[in-house]
Amino acid sequence: MDDIFGDSIERLFAQIVTPAAIRAIEEGASIDALWQALEDSGFLDALVPESSGGAGLTLAQVFPLFLSAGRHAIPVPFAQTMLARAWLHHVRAPIPKGPITIAAFGMRSGENSISGSAVSFGRTAQWVLADLGSQIVLLPTRGADLESELIADPASLDVAMRWKGPRAANGISGETHPCAKLAEISAVCHASLIAGAADKALALTLDYAGQRTQFGKPIGKFQAVQSQISIMAERTWAARMAAQMACNSTNWWPRPLLAAVGKSRASEAAAVIADIAHAVHGALGITQEYDLQLYTRRLRQWRLAAGNETYWAGRIGEALLRKTSSSALAFICSELSAERL
C-alpha cells in the first residue's frame, strides 16, 4: 500500500513541485497550476469517506503522501487540506474549493478582529481553519491583512494575518470526535513534513560529501564528517519513525499522545539535521542558488509550527503525571505504544 501511494505521489511531485517552482511561488508567483494538478490527482479527498466521493483511507495509509510532500518542500498546504477536508466532512460543514491551512495555535479573537501569528502556509492558502479556543472558524484569506514583516525569513510562506470587521467569520458547529482536535491534527501533519524534508536534506548532504574533495579525497572519507553525518542519519530516521508512529491510526484522526510523541521527536531532530547539513556543505549550503536551503528553511519553520518539541513534551509529561498509579515504563507501554489501537 505504501508503494502504491508513495510511488504515485512521488512521480506527481517530481513533475510539478520542482525547486524552480518553489522559488517562483516564494517570490509571489501564482499557485493555480500547481493546485489544479493536485485537485486533478484526487489525493486531496483521500481521507474523505468513499460514500462522499473520497477514498476513505486512514491516516496510516496516507502517511507516504505527507512524507513525500515534505521531501519536496511543497509550497502549498497539501497535507493540511487533506486533513481539513476530512475534518469539515466529519462535522458536516461545507468543504470549500482551494487550499486550506490549519491554525491550531497563536489565534486571537477580539470584538472587531481575528488575528493569528505565523500562520503556516498563510501566503498560499485560500482558507484558514482556525481554532479560536471557544470555537473553530473557517476564514477566507482574501481580504485578510498579511503582516509578513513580522517573519524573519522574507521567503517564508508563514505569515501573520488579521481579519478586520465585526465577527469576520461564523463558527463551525458540529459533534466532533474527542481525538479530532486541530492541534493534534496539525502536529502529525508537520511531523510528517519534517520527516520528509529531513530525508531530502540527508540525501543532498550524502551526495555532496561524496563529490566534494579536499586533500585529494572526498570529504565524506574524513572521520569527523562521517561522525556528523551519522548523527544526521540517526536523527532523520528517528524523525521518520516518530512521524509514522504519530500517523498510526485506523481512522483519519490521530491518537493524541502519539501525535505528541511524533511532533516532539520530529521537531527536536529538525534543528540538528539542518545544522549538520549546513556544516557539511559549508558556505555553499546557504546560497539561494543551491537547493539545500529550500529544505532546511522548511525544517526550521515546521519545527515551530503547531507547537515545538518543548510544548509537546510538556503534554506527554502532563499525561504521565495524571497516571498517579502508573510507573513511567507502564505508561510508555500502555499509552505510547503504536500497537495499541
Side-chain angles (χ1 to χ4, degrees):
M1 185 69 78
D2 284 5
D3 290 341
I4 294 174
F5 293 121
D7 291 348
S8 297
I9 202 70
E10 277 288 330
R11 286 194 296 271
L12 176 63
F13 285 160
Q15 294 173 2
I16 64 175
V17 191
T18 62
I22 296 171
R23 287 185 172 89
I25 289 174
E26 287 186 341
E27 292 171 0
S30 171
I31 68 163
D32 290 350
L34 171 59
W35 192 256
Q36 189 58 53
L38 294 175
E39 286 274 11
D40 294 343
S41 74
F43 284 118
L44 293 172
D45 287 323
L47 293 170
V48 174
E50 289 184 78
S51 57
S52 297
L57 300 184
T58 66
L59 191 58
Q61 290 173 317
V62 301
F63 171 70
L65 278 63
F66 294 176
L67 189 69
S68 184
R71 188 180 293 117
H72 289 270
I74 192 165
V76 293
F78 168 75
Q80 287 88 343
T81 299
M82 289 177 62
L83 287 161
R85 288 188 176 190
W87 191 94
L88 289 167
H89 176 273
H90 187 74
V91 300
R92 296 181 176 82
I95 300 176
K97 292 288 186 182
I100 309 170
T101 192
I102 299 173
F105 297 88
M107 297 299 298
R108 296 174 297 278
S109 176
E111 283 294 324
N112 297 307
S113 68
I114 296 173
S115 61
S117 58
V119 177
S120 183
F121 292 100
R123 279 179 55 195
T124 54
Q126 292 181 8
W127 300 91
V128 179
L129 186 62
D131 188 345
L132 302 182
S134 59
Q135 65 174 338
I136 292 175
V137 296
L138 185 63
L139 300 161
T141 59
R142 179 176 295 179
D145 294 333
L146 307 184
E147 301 174 3
S148 57
E149 69 274 10
L150 298 178
I151 305 298
D153 178 4
S156 172
L157 301 176
D158 299 355
V159 66
M161 310 183 77
R162 180 184 297 274
W163 292 263
K164 297 178 181 176
R167 297 312 306 177
N170 294 322
I172 298 172
S173 61
E175 189 67 26
T176 62
H177 190 280
C179 292
K181 304 294 186 184
L182 292 191
E184 283 78 8
I185 290 171
S186 189
V188 298
C189 176
H190 285 94
S192 304
L193 293 174
I194 287 172
D199 187 55
K200 181 65 175 182
L202 175 62
L204 289 172
T205 302
L206 288 171
D207 186 56
Y208 182 78
Q211 292 184 19
R212 176 77 164 89
T213 60
Q214 190 64 272
F215 304 114
K217 59 182 180 181
I219 63 171
K221 296 291 186 181
F222 292 96
Q223 188 174 22
V225 175
Q226 291 175 345
S227 176
Q228 289 294 294
I229 291 178
S230 67
I231 295 172
M232 184 182 183
E234 179 266 327
R235 299 299 177 94
T236 297
W237 278 96
R240 177 170 177 152
M241 292 171 63
Q244 188 165 14
M245 187 171 75
C247 290
N248 194 5
S249 170
T250 56
N251 299 294
W252 66 264
W253 59 78
R255 284 175 50 195
L257 279 178
L258 290 188
V261 171
K263 185 59 166 66
S264 175
R265 192 68 184 89
S267 285
E268 186 274 338
V272 176
I273 293 165
D275 288 348
I276 293 177
H278 282 286
V280 173
H281 278 83
L284 176 66
I286 63 170
T287 59
Q288 286 190 334
E289 294 78 7
Y290 196 70
D291 290 344
L292 179 66
Q293 52 88 15
L294 298 176
Y295 309 96
T296 54
R297 285 192 293 107
R298 293 287 191 278
L299 282 172
R300 297 188 190 283
Q301 291 162 6
W302 291 338
R303 174 198 174 196
L304 300 177
N308 63 11
E309 62 271 28
T310 303
Y311 172 81
W312 288 106
R315 289 278 297 270
I316 298 169
E318 290 171 359
L320 171 61
L321 292 175
R322 285 195 295 270
K323 300 282 185 180
T324 54
S325 62
S326 176
S327 68
L329 179 59
F331 174 78
I332 292 171
C333 293
S334 63
E335 301 296 333
L336 303 183
S337 170
E339 300 300 324
R340 179 180 173 274
L341 295 174

